[in-house]
Every structure is written in C-alpha cells, then in structure tokens.
Amino acid sequence: MPGAKTAVAWLASVAPDPESCRREWERNPLGVALLPAGKAWDVLIVPSRLGYPTLDVLSRVLDQPGPVLVDFGDARTGFFVPAGTATRWLGTGVRTAGLGTWIVVPYPGGLSSGGIRWLIPPDGTGTLTDPSLLELAMHEAAAALAVEDGGG
C-alpha cells in the first residue's frame, strides 16, 4: 500500500513508545496496536447502519475523508477527527474516544485479523475529517435512512 510507511509513522507518533508500537504491529498475530486517542486525533464512533451511509455522503463531498475504521461484524464505524472534538461533541448515539481513552488500531498497510479494519486507511499526511462536515453528513444519512424506513 503506497504511503503505508508514513501512515505507520503518523499513527505510531501518538504512542508512548513509537518504536515499540511498530514492533507490536509486526509481531502481533492480530495486526493491531492499542493507541491513545486525544493527541493527534479523536474518534467518533457510530453504529455502522449510520456509519456506512455517512461515509458515502462524505465521499461525495470530499476528495479524501480522514481515516475510518469498522469493527468485526461491521457493527460500529469510527471516524478520525481533530483532537479535542470528543470533548465538544453533543450528538446523541455517538460514542467518542478522546483524551484519556485508547483504541485498537489495525496496521495501516495490510490485512488485520484483530476484529477491526480500515475502510479508509490513514495516508500519513494527518488528514482528518472535519467534524462539522461529518455532522452534516450524518444528518443527511440519517434522513435518508428515515425515508427508507418509511418515516419520512
């Protein structure tokens, strides 16, 4: 994957010991590492029933959304947003991972068998999704889901 090396460096930069993080990715049979949120990025986590349509909306308006994770079974989708977003987020039904929390992050350059995978891997440049655009995309996706469900 092009940019995997810079993506690894970008993600590992938030770890207490970045080199140890890189080694963990290489040695962990699940291909995952535990990283602290709230330093370079926060993660907003939504049910994938809303997450996938939200990503579709974002992909129509942005050339490159920030990194997006999905868990095993496609139950939850996590959008990487600027650090500090979690403390300001007011939306209901959205879990936040910010300062003081840790998340499981798969290796960005390959397949992970650790129950979590990238829908959009980081590119190493630090691109994150603008929380205002994410909120608008969530509203549009939720409205479309309501119509599909016969509620609108």
Side-chain angles (χ1 to χ4, degrees), residues 26-47:
E26 293 167 6
R27 295 180 183 151
N28 184 327
L30 299 178
V32 296
L34 194 60
L35 293 176
K39 290 185 175 187
W41 36 261
D42 286 353
V43 183
L44 299 181
I45 304 160
V46 299

Side-chain angles (χ1 to χ4, degrees), residues 121-137:
D123 61 10
T125 65
T127 299
L128 298 167
T129 298
D130 178 290
S132 298
L133 287 176
L134 179 59
E135 183 178 16
L136 291 171

Side-chain angles (χ1 to χ4, degrees), residues 1 3-4 6-12 14 21 25 30-35 41-43 52 55 64-72 74 76-81 103-124 127-129:
M1 172 183 140
T6 55
V8 167
W10 178 72
L11 286 168
V14 302
C21 176
W25 265 322
L30 299 178
V32 296
L34 194 60
L35 293 176
W41 36 261
D42 286 353
V43 183
Y52 278 108
L55 181 56
Q64 178 65 40
V68 180
L69 293 171
V70 67
D71 69 352
F72 183 72
D74 287 349
R76 289 177 296 278
T77 307
F79 294 87
F80 279 52
V81 293
I103 64 165
V104 175
V105 179
Y107 182 75
L111 298 175
S112 167
S113 60
I116 193 161
R117 62 186 168 84
W118 293 107
L119 288 178
I120 297 182
D123 61 10
T127 299
L128 298 167
T129 298

